[in-house]
Amino acid sequence: MNKPLRESKGPRHVAIIMDGNGRWATMRGRPRLFGHHAGAKRVREVVEACPDLGIKYLTIFAFSTENWKRTQVEVAGLMSLFRRYISKEARALKERNVQVRFIGDRVRLDRKLTALMDELEQLTADCTGTNLTIALNYGGRDEVARATQRLAQDVADGKLDPADVDEETLPKYLDTHVLPDPDLVIRTSGEARISNFLLWQSAYAEYEFVDTLWPDFTGEELGRLVTSYGKRERRYGAVKT
């Protein structure tokens, strides 16, 4: 495993669009849900790799607001998988000192799943190791819309002066308000798009689009991407002098 990178060089926050589960399964003549189960197992290896790579925050895209368009069988299977994953991994996450939080709109999710989500957040609330954020029924545009509604309500209630609203204000209303912006966003499976993921937060993130399908993505590959990130020059719009 790679040695920890200095915080000034390595990414503190890595976000991953875990893509390719369905294609991975199809290539093996198996149903798409078989690939999703394989992908869920891969999450553990990636989470375990984070401390040695100097990654303090890991955010993974598990289910988007657009994924409801998939077949009823696949959606139901995914919801069952999420419930099973939380139940199975809760104790291990706690033991590995991983703090878990969920982002996204919970209104459409079933009560049993949201109860498990709440329990896992409470169970790991005091953990001080890796911060794992799971985006579930999440969409960047939906998040901004919900944040704007909350902001507008505070204006209407007299808690916020419209003149004080700037680019530092809205992030306080986002689902990720307690997290730093991602430094590195990775998408697996060879697709080169961001699919409505962390739109506001990733304004200055570095991107890596890799061909590896998510069930084949390893901690070693994550390490190579982290090393590559450390060689980049990040200027945030400025010019090096």
Side-chain angles (χ1 to χ4, degrees):
M1 183 60 66
N2 295 28
K3 293 181 179 180
L5 299 174
R6 292 179 303 172
E7 192 172 58
S8 59
K9 288 293 185 180
R12 185 176 180 224
H13 183 179
V14 173
I16 305 178
I17 302 172
M18 306 179 295
D19 194 22
N21 292 338
R23 273 169 283 169
W24 185 89
T26 300
M27 289 168 60
R28 289 159 176 76
R30 303 297 296 272
R32 290 176 58 84
L33 282 172
F34 178 76
H36 292 310
H37 281 273
K41 293 178 181 178
R42 184 58 63 188
V43 171
R44 173 181 281 205
E45 178 180 344
V46 171
V47 171
E48 290 178 344
C50 286
D52 286 341
L53 296 172
I55 299 170
K56 179 65 174 177
Y57 299 89
L58 175 69
T59 299
I60 57 175
F61 203 3
F63 189 87
S64 77
T65 50
E66 289 76 27
N67 287 155
W68 295 103
K69 300 174 184 177
R70 298 185 178 185
T71 67
Q72 185 176 357
V73 170
E74 184 171 355
V75 170
L78 282 167
M79 294 302 152
S80 176
L81 173 60
F82 297 145
R83 291 192 295 269
R84 188 178 303 121
Y85 175 84
I86 293 172
S87 299
K88 181 180 179 181
E89 293 292 322
R91 181 177 295 180
L93 288 164
K94 174 70 172 180
E95 291 174 351
R96 295 199 299 273
N97 199 27
V98 177
Q99 184 179 97
V100 182
R101 61 174 54 84
F102 294 88
I103 58 173
D105 187 355
R106 303 190 187 193
V107 174
R108 194 170 178 179
L109 302 175
D110 69 68
R111 292 184 179 180
K112 184 175 181 180
L113 176 56
T114 56
L116 287 170
M117 292 161 62
D118 290 340
E119 290 174 8
L120 182 56
E121 287 181 327
Q122 294 170 10
L123 177 68
T124 62
D126 295 329
C127 293
T128 58
T130 303
N131 286 261
L132 173 63
T133 301
I134 303 173
L136 188 54
N137 194 29
Y138 173 88
R141 289 180 175 180
D142 176 73
E143 178 189 28
V144 171
R146 288 186 287 106
T148 304
Q149 289 175 346
R150 291 191 289 269
L151 187 154
Q153 188 62 56
D154 278 355
V155 170
D157 293 343
K159 299 177 181 178
L160 182 65
D161 188 332
D164 294 332
V165 176
D166 56 22
E167 65 179 79
E168 301 297 326
T169 306
L170 184 62
K172 298 175 183 178
Y173 292 84
L174 294 174
D175 296 350
T176 57
H177 65 278
V178 297
L179 302 173
D181 288 344
D183 303 297
L184 174 64
V185 179
I186 299 167
R187 182 175 185 140
T188 60
S189 88
E191 302 290 349
R193 57 180 180 272
I194 59 176
S195 294
N196 200 19
F197 184 50
L198 300 179
L199 299 180
W200 180 281
Q201 300 89 334
S202 299
Y204 278 100
E206 299 291 322
Y207 280 84
E208 287 280 4
F209 299 100
V210 298
D211 292 332
T212 308
L213 301 177
W214 175 248
D216 292 326
F217 190 83
T218 64
E220 286 74 20
E221 184 162 6
L222 176 61
R224 290 193 293 272
L225 295 175
V226 166
T227 299
S228 175
Y229 169 94
K231 298 176 182 178
R232 299 187 184 192
E233 181 183 335
R234 307 189 74 203
R235 297 190 298 273
Y236 298 96
V239 176
K240 184 176 181 181
T241 57

